Coordinates of all heavy atoms in Angstrom, one line a residue:
G1 N 0.8 -1.2 0.0 CA 0.0 0.0 0.0 C 0.8 1.3 0.0 O 0.2 2.4 0.1
S2 N 2.1 1.2 -0.2 CA 3.0 2.4 -0.1 C 3.8 2.5 -1.4 O 3.9 1.6 -2.2 CB 4.0 2.3 1.1 OG 3.3 2.1 2.3
E3 N 4.3 3.7 -1.6 CA 5.2 4.0 -2.7 C 6.6 3.4 -2.5 O 7.0 3.1 -1.3 CB 5.3 5.5 -2.9 CG 4.0 6.2 -3.3 CD 4.2 7.7 -3.5 OE1 5.4 8.2 -3.3 OE2 3.3 8.3 -3.9
R4 N 7.3 3.1 -3.6 CA 8.6 2.6 -3.5 C 9.5 3.7 -2.8 O 9.5 4.8 -3.0 CB 9.2 2.3 -4.9 CG 10.4 1.4 -4.9 CD 10.7 0.9 -6.3 NE 9.6 0.2 -6.8 CZ 9.7 -0.4 -8.0 NH1 10.7 -0.4 -8.8 NH2 8.6 -1.1 -8.4
E5 N 10.4 3.2 -1.8 CA 11.2 4.1 -1.0 C 12.6 3.6 -1.0 O 12.9 2.5 -1.1 CB 10.6 4.1 0.4 CG 10.7 2.8 1.1 CD 10.0 2.9 2.5 OE1 10.1 4.0 3.2 OE2 9.5 1.9 3.0
F6 N 13.5 4.6 -0.8 CA 14.9 4.4 -0.7 C 15.3 3.6 0.6 O 14.7 3.9 1.7 CB 15.6 5.7 -0.7 CG 17.1 5.7 -0.4 CD1 18.0 5.2 -1.3 CD2 17.6 6.1 0.8 CE1 19.3 5.1 -1.1 CE2 18.9 6.1 1.1 CZ 19.8 5.6 0.1
V7 N 16.2 2.7 0.4 CA 16.7 1.9 1.6 C 18.2 2.2 1.8 O 18.6 2.6 2.9 CB 16.5 0.4 1.4 CG1 17.1 -0.4 2.5 CG2 15.0 0.1 1.3
A8 N 19.0 2.0 0.8 CA 20.4 2.2 0.9 C 21.0 2.4 -0.5 O 20.5 2.0 -1.5 CB 21.1 0.9 1.6
A9 N 22.2 3.0 -0.5 CA 22.9 3.2 -1.8 C 24.4 3.1 -1.5 O 24.9 3.2 -0.4 CB 22.6 4.6 -2.3
I10 N 25.1 2.8 -2.6 CA 26.6 2.6 -2.6 C 27.1 3.2 -3.8 O 26.6 3.0 -4.9 CB 27.0 1.2 -2.4 CG1 28.5 1.0 -2.1 CG2 26.5 0.3 -3.6 CD1 28.8 -0.4 -1.6
T11 N 28.3 3.9 -3.7 CA 28.9 4.5 -4.8 C 29.8 3.5 -5.6 O 29.9 2.4 -5.2 CB 29.8 5.7 -4.4 OG1 30.9 5.2 -3.6 CG2 29.0 6.7 -3.6
K12 N 30.3 3.9 -6.7 CA 31.3 3.1 -7.4 C 32.5 3.0 -6.4 O 32.8 3.8 -5.5 CB 31.8 3.8 -8.7 CG 30.7 4.0 -9.7 CD 31.3 4.4 -11.1 CE 32.0 5.7 -11.0 NZ 32.5 6.1 -12.4
S13 N 33.3 1.9 -6.7 CA 34.5 1.7 -5.9 C 35.6 2.6 -6.4 O 36.0 2.5 -7.5 CB 34.9 0.2 -6.0 OG 33.9 -0.6 -5.5
G14 N 36.1 3.5 -5.5 CA 37.2 4.4 -5.8 C 38.4 4.0 -5.0 O 38.5 2.9 -4.4
K15 N 39.4 4.8 -5.1 CA 40.7 4.5 -4.4 C 40.5 4.4 -2.9 O 41.3 3.7 -2.3 CB 41.7 5.6 -4.7 CG 41.3 7.0 -4.2 CD 42.4 8.0 -4.5 CE 42.1 9.4 -4.0 NZ 43.2 10.4 -4.3
N16 N 39.5 5.0 -2.3 CA 39.2 4.9 -0.9 C 38.0 3.9 -0.6 O 37.4 4.0 0.4 CB 38.9 6.3 -0.3 CG 40.1 7.2 -0.4 OD1 41.2 6.7 -0.1 ND2 39.9 8.4 -0.8
G17 N 37.7 3.1 -1.6 CA 36.6 2.2 -1.4 C 35.3 2.8 -1.9 O 35.3 3.9 -2.6
A18 N 34.2 2.3 -1.5 CA 32.9 2.8 -1.8 C 32.2 3.4 -0.6 O 32.3 2.9 0.5 CB 32.0 1.6 -2.4
L19 N 31.5 4.5 -0.8 CA 30.7 5.1 0.2 C 29.3 4.6 0.2 O 28.7 4.3 -0.8 CB 30.7 6.6 0.0 CG 32.1 7.3 0.0 CD1 31.9 8.8 -0.3 CD2 32.8 7.1 1.3
T20 N 28.8 4.5 1.4 CA 27.4 3.9 1.6 C 26.5 4.9 2.3 O 26.9 5.8 3.1 CB 27.4 2.7 2.4 OG1 28.0 2.9 3.7 CG2 28.3 1.6 1.7
Y21 N 25.2 4.8 2.0 CA 24.2 5.7 2.5 C 23.0 4.9 2.9 O 22.6 3.9 2.2 CB 23.8 6.8 1.5 CG 25.1 7.6 1.0 CD1 25.8 7.1 -0.1 CD2 25.5 8.7 1.7 CE1 26.9 7.8 -0.5 CE2 26.6 9.4 1.2 CZ 27.3 8.9 0.1 OH 28.4 9.6 -0.3
Y22 N 22.3 5.3 4.0 CA 21.1 4.5 4.4 C 20.0 5.4 4.8 O 20.2 6.5 5.3 CB 21.5 3.7 5.7 CG 22.6 2.7 5.4 CD1 24.0 3.1 5.7 CD2 22.4 1.5 4.9 CE1 25.0 2.2 5.5 CE2 23.4 0.6 4.7 CZ 24.7 0.9 5.0 OH 25.7 0.0 4.7
A23 N 18.8 4.9 4.5 CA 17.6 5.6 5.0 C 17.5 5.4 6.5 O 17.9 4.4 7.1 CB 16.3 5.0 4.4
Q24 N 17.0 6.4 7.2 CA 16.9 6.4 8.7 C 16.2 5.2 9.3 O 16.7 4.7 10.3 CB 16.3 7.7 9.2 CG 16.5 7.9 10.7 CD 17.9 8.1 11.1 OE1 18.3 7.4 12.1 NE2 18.7 8.8 10.3
P25 N 15.1 4.8 8.7 CA 14.4 3.6 9.3 C 15.2 2.3 9.4 O 14.9 1.5 10.2 CB 13.2 3.4 8.4 CG 12.9 4.8 7.8 CD 14.3 5.3 7.6
V26 N 16.2 2.2 8.5 CA 17.0 1.0 8.5 C 18.4 1.1 9.0 O 19.2 0.2 9.1 CB 17.0 0.3 7.1 CG1 15.6 0.0 6.6 CG2 17.7 1.2 6.1
K27 N 18.8 2.4 9.2 CA 20.2 2.6 9.6 C 20.6 1.9 10.8 O 19.8 1.9 11.8 CB 20.4 4.1 9.8 CG 21.9 4.5 9.9 CD 22.0 6.0 9.9 CE 23.5 6.5 10.0 NZ 24.3 6.0 8.9
G28 N 21.7 1.2 10.8 CA 22.1 0.4 11.9 C 21.7 -1.0 11.9 O 22.2 -1.9 12.6
R29 N 20.7 -1.3 11.0 CA 20.2 -2.7 10.9 C 20.5 -3.4 9.6 O 20.3 -4.6 9.5 CB 18.7 -2.7 11.1 CG 18.2 -2.2 12.5 CD 16.7 -2.4 12.7 NE 15.9 -1.7 11.8 CZ 15.1 -2.2 10.9 NH1 15.1 -3.5 10.8 NH2 14.4 -1.5 10.1
V30 N 21.0 -2.6 8.7 CA 21.3 -3.1 7.3 C 22.7 -2.7 6.9 O 23.2 -1.7 7.4 CB 20.2 -2.8 6.3 CG1 18.8 -3.1 6.8 CG2 20.4 -1.3 5.9
R31 N 23.2 -3.4 6.0 CA 24.5 -3.0 5.4 C 24.5 -3.3 3.9 O 24.2 -4.4 3.5 CB 25.7 -3.8 6.1 CG 27.0 -3.2 5.6 CD 28.2 -3.9 6.4 NE 28.6 -5.1 5.7 CZ 29.6 -5.1 4.8 NH1 30.2 -3.9 4.5 NH2 30.0 -6.2 4.2
I32 N 24.8 -2.3 3.1 CA 24.9 -2.5 1.7 C 26.4 -2.7 1.3 O 27.3 -2.0 1.9 CB 24.3 -1.3 0.9 CG1 24.3 -1.6 -0.6 CG2 25.0 0.0 1.2 CD1 23.5 -0.5 -1.4
A33 N 26.6 -3.6 0.4 CA 28.0 -3.9 0.0 C 28.0 -4.3 -1.4 O 27.0 -4.7 -2.0 CB 28.6 -5.0 0.9

């Protein structure tokens, strides 16, 4: 019954690795890799 929503994102792998981002409702409970 809801619209599609953001969960997590990850950047391309760079020299310092990939950066990750999380939606607040799942932050701390999920990991994107």
Side-chain angles (χ1 to χ4, degrees):
S2 300
E3 297 182 355
R4 196 169 300 184
E5 63 183 328
F6 172 73
V7 175
I10 188 167
T11 66
K12 297 192 299 183
S13 298
K15 63 179 182 179
N16 296 318
L19 301 178
T20 58
Y21 306 88
Y22 299 96
Q24 192 62 226
V26 301
K27 190 172 181 64
R29 300 189 296 115
V30 310
R31 189 176 90 90
I32 187 171

